[in-house]
Amino acid sequence: MTQADPPAAGARLLADLAALGPYFAVDVHRPGSPLRPPWRPLGELTGSPDTLAGRISEVRERLAAAAGCPATAVEFRVAASIAQLGLCARLLSPALGAAAAGRALPVDVGQARWVPALGGPFRLSLPDTAVAAEAGTAATAPAEAGTAATSALLAGPITQIVRSVQAMAVSPRVLRGNVASAVNGAATMIAAARPDLAGPAVEAAAALLADPALTGTYQGRPGAAFRRRNCCLIYRLSPERPAYCGDCVLGR
């Protein structure tokens, strides 16, 4: 893939995002540059139910291998929920990190690229024009521009992913709860890595959680007081010794 050389402001944003952790880090490429392995167009994952189902099957096999059991022993809906949560977290985190820093980071999945990998956040590349975008204009404050970028991401590809996985027999309440959990998780990681951005991160997350699509999926505010109202189903991987996420409704 042809790597881009972003201007100073874009380079600073990339460095700031990388410092927040692997879920926030992004590569950049020139729009229209040749697509070379191992990079793939992200749109094929978010826009094709068959490709998304393939990704879920890979997650299912990895979960089964970790548990030392056949893939059929892992419920498809559990693997689908975990895959969807990871994908949404990977897409939302960079945009929320940028918003907390007072920048807007538009994530156009039609131009984005990814490296298919399991076991953690996959590599994500955006057009260099996305990181070079100004925070705001005379009519748009930086905070508003960042909020608009995350809201567009939620209304577009995130909703598309939710609908696709929902059609695979996963409860929409679980899937929307996963999105809310991804938003809170991003805010929590930002605050841990950059305490000076804790306030803006919470405000950016709270603005996104106020979206009607996420109404009723959680209680409290982003941070330690946040608790989702449903479960991502990960506890079903081992019903005898269930493990719960920190924000799970089933946790004590």
Side-chain angles (χ1 to χ4, degrees):
M1 183 180 69
T2 302
Q3 296 294 323
D5 185 15
R12 285 197 300 271
L13 177 58
L14 291 175
D16 288 343
L17 290 175
L20 296 176
Y23 272 95
F24 300 85
V26 295
D27 291 272
V28 292
H29 60 270
R30 294 186 179 89
S33 61
L35 185 67
R36 297 190 176 93
W39 293 96
R40 300 292 306 164
L42 185 64
E44 70 178 12
L45 177 64
T46 60
S48 168
D50 289 341
T51 303
L52 185 55
R55 172 72 175 182
I56 292 170
S57 295
E58 293 173 350
V59 170
R60 188 183 192 189
E61 291 173 0
R62 185 175 182 87
L63 292 171
C69 64
T72 53
V74 176
E75 296 176 73
F76 178 83
R77 67 190 183 109
V78 174
S81 173
I82 294 173
Q84 178 256 348
L85 174 54
L87 178 56
C88 290
R90 187 64 180 100
L91 294 180
L92 285 165
S93 294
L96 278 165
R103 294 288 301 274
L105 181 65
V107 180
D108 180 358
V109 297
Q111 298 188 64
R113 301 171 180 181
W114 74 305
V115 175
L118 297 170
F122 53 80
R123 288 182 67 186
L124 175 66
S125 182
L126 303 177
D128 57 0
T129 51
V131 299
E134 293 296 329
T137 65
T140 307
E144 295 174 348
T147 299
T150 56
S151 296
L153 186 56
L154 176 62
I158 297 299
T159 295
Q160 187 177 23
I161 293 167
V162 167
R163 289 173 177 169
S164 293
V165 180
Q166 178 183 344
M168 301 175 194
V170 181
S171 166
R173 293 186 64 229
V174 168
L175 299 175
R176 289 196 295 269
N178 286 350
V179 176
S181 182
V183 172
N184 176 68
T188 301
M189 286 189 281
I190 294 169
R194 288 279 305 272
D196 58 310
L197 293 182
V202 166
E203 292 306 315
L208 192 56
L209 288 170
D211 190 284
L214 302 180
T215 298
T217 60
Y218 67 96
Q219 60 186 23
R221 279 179 58 80
F226 178 92
R227 185 170 295 275
R228 58 185 294 173
R229 294 184 181 275
N230 49 46
C231 175
C232 70
L233 307 179
I234 196 171
Y235 81 96
R236 295 189 62 82
L237 290 175
S238 180
E240 299 81 11
R241 292 177 296 174
Y244 303 115
C245 301
D247 62 1
C248 183
V249 67
L250 301 178
R252 296 183 178 180

